[in-house]
Amino acid sequence: MQEKKENNAQNKFARERYAALVKRMTPKSAFGQGCFRAFWVGGLICVLGQALADGAHAWLGLSSAASLTFASVALIFLTAFLTGIGVFDRIARYAGAGTLVPTTGFANAMVAPAMEFKPEGWIMGTGVRLFSIAGPVLVYGISASAAVGILYYFIRW
Amino acid sequence: MTRHRVGAHTIEFGNRPRIVSSAAVVGPKEGRGPLSALFDLALDDPLYGQSSYEQAECAIFQEACSRCLKKAKAEPEQVQAMLGGDLLNQIMAASLAARQLEIPFLGLYGACSTMAEALLLGAILADGGYADPVLCAAGSHYCTAERQYRFPLEYGNQRTPAAQWTVTGAGACLVSAEGPALARISLATVGQIKDMGIKDANNMGAAMAPAAADTLIHHFLDTGRKASDYDKIITGDLGRVGGSLLEELMEQAGFALPEEKHMDCGLCVFDPKEDVHAGGSGCGCSASVLSAMILPRLKSGEWKRVLFMATGALLSTTTSQQGESIPGVAHALVLEGGEGN
Amino acid sequence: MTVYLKAFFVGGLFCVVGEALILKTKLTPARILVSYVVAGVLLSAAGLYGPLVRFAGAGATVPLTGFGHALAQGAIAAVQETGLLGAFTGGVSASSGAIAAAVFFGLITALLFRAKPKDT
């Protein structure tokens, strides 16, 4: 019993020491560069979104709320197209969170598995896997909004 | 009563079974790499004319096997056992290839260590006279490994610097007790599972390095040898991070592994200019480098004796999601070349 | 013109926070997406996100927090109109454009294109 305890302690010590060694010897992603790339690409996508919204407002006569929705839909369409022709993942490899955080990341997370799992069939492949990465976004987003709605019904802040 | 053992973990082959032929078939990126001219076939199309990447992986596996048999002038029906595996769930590429070849089949899973596991068991079968010749093969495919273990191909994801690139390719070796040899197998050290608590699936080298160090230390203890007894100590796919970790761990254990003695298949298979981060990985990595480069160098006499040690990260997406750490394993074989064949 | 500058900086800042989270905490992309949407819902319910949208426009609606904002505001508005039922109808209706677009374009893209390996 005592021996086992000692063994466990030794084991834990060895693991901690090894974790420290791994940390020291594993190269790190360039932090400043990553943030810079995410910033300018992400910012630019939002500017594009604003331009699309302004365009929809001016030429399609949409209300300002509807034109922002239009901008999201248009960005999703653009992402789907760029994903389809195999360009989006190259941009994302450069931009990281710059393409992940805008609505483009959500769209790519739906489109990429839909394409990838085509060989497994339209139902069990594309149909099921479409939500394999972005599904949790809907699950937790919708649940959180329902919780907020219920809370609002009772409290009305 | 065990008669063929040296020490606690090592097998000694009395008749030193021979690797009589080998073949490697790889994908386009590997074909552009520094070993380009050595492969039997480098594909232009990673789909290899098939309808899915799984089918392509199977076809590559089968092609490596067929070419290996052809080089030994052996027909599939003469082969008494086939040992092999890959990275797909239920090792489908190997099983589908075995279905085509109609050779008695024993499927193996050792992740990226599969080629060493297959050769080790194949050598036992051939040396003991249980099956002869034995076909040993392993393969992997970048596109099937990505979709199974990571993300869809078109998904926008950044790789970390420690991440490795799965080799598209397969290697096959025919093992026999007699015949002209590329190399002979004299010793084998069976590895035990080592897990130092690494959970980062993007740092497989770190997950496997302790297993590699453990097997290497046991090999040295069992045989009384040291690194200088080998022309090269060749690891499978530790990559840049895992490779330097292994050297560090060996240093700490008091069995120095000098950098010039150590070679990693994952670091020699790709052009360093390509975007592969810490190097190549996958069953096909050590299998194709062994078949295309290591065995011919042993035959030519450039190397007299090497230790071939393929490492595997026995990762499952299910247990990974459950928070389990990654168990590593490494099996080592002593390959003797040059004179004495 | 200032609206574009605001969109650029606010949107860019959301992305920098995401990148910092990825690099420093090893959060997977799926976790980042979920965190952003839920954070958007909570910030919106607390009344903090609405002013940001008025300030930065698409700079606040294009990041996934904006998706969360749409969900929360939809749910709250629908509760005001139809009572408790609105908690279940409001969120999805308000964000239906993005959801339907992603599903529809995902399917169409899968129909027209095939996943290609890069640099193999």
Side-chain angles (χ1 to χ4, degrees), chain A residues 109-110 112-114 117 125-137, chain B residues 151-152, chain C residues 30:
Chain A
M110 302 265 261
F117 293 97
T126 297
V128 169
R129 301 293 195 118
L130 191 86
F131 294 98
S132 60
I133 305 170
V137 172
Chain B
F151 291 108

Side-chain angles (χ1 to χ4, degrees), chain B residues 92-138:
Chain B
M92 276 321 288
S95 306
L96 292 177
R99 179 177 73 182
Q100 293 296 317
L101 290 165
E102 297 186 320
I103 301 172
F105 174 63
L106 293 162
L108 302 176
Y109 186 78
C112 313
S113 73
T114 303
M115 193 61 192
E117 186 181 2
L119 272 179
L120 193 157
L121 291 168
I124 292 174
L125 292 180
D127 195 46
Y130 298 104
D132 195 340
V134 182
L135 182 62
C136 305

Side-chain angles (χ1 to χ4, degrees), chain A residues 15 18 26 93 96 108 116 120, chain B residues 147 153-154 156 158 195 206:
Chain A
R15 281 180 170 215
Y18 184 65
T26 303
R93 201 178 298 166
N108 175 243
E116 177 75 37
E120 281 75 28
Chain B
R147 77 204 304 253
L153 295 172
E154 302 294 350
Q158 277 182 322
D195 186 339

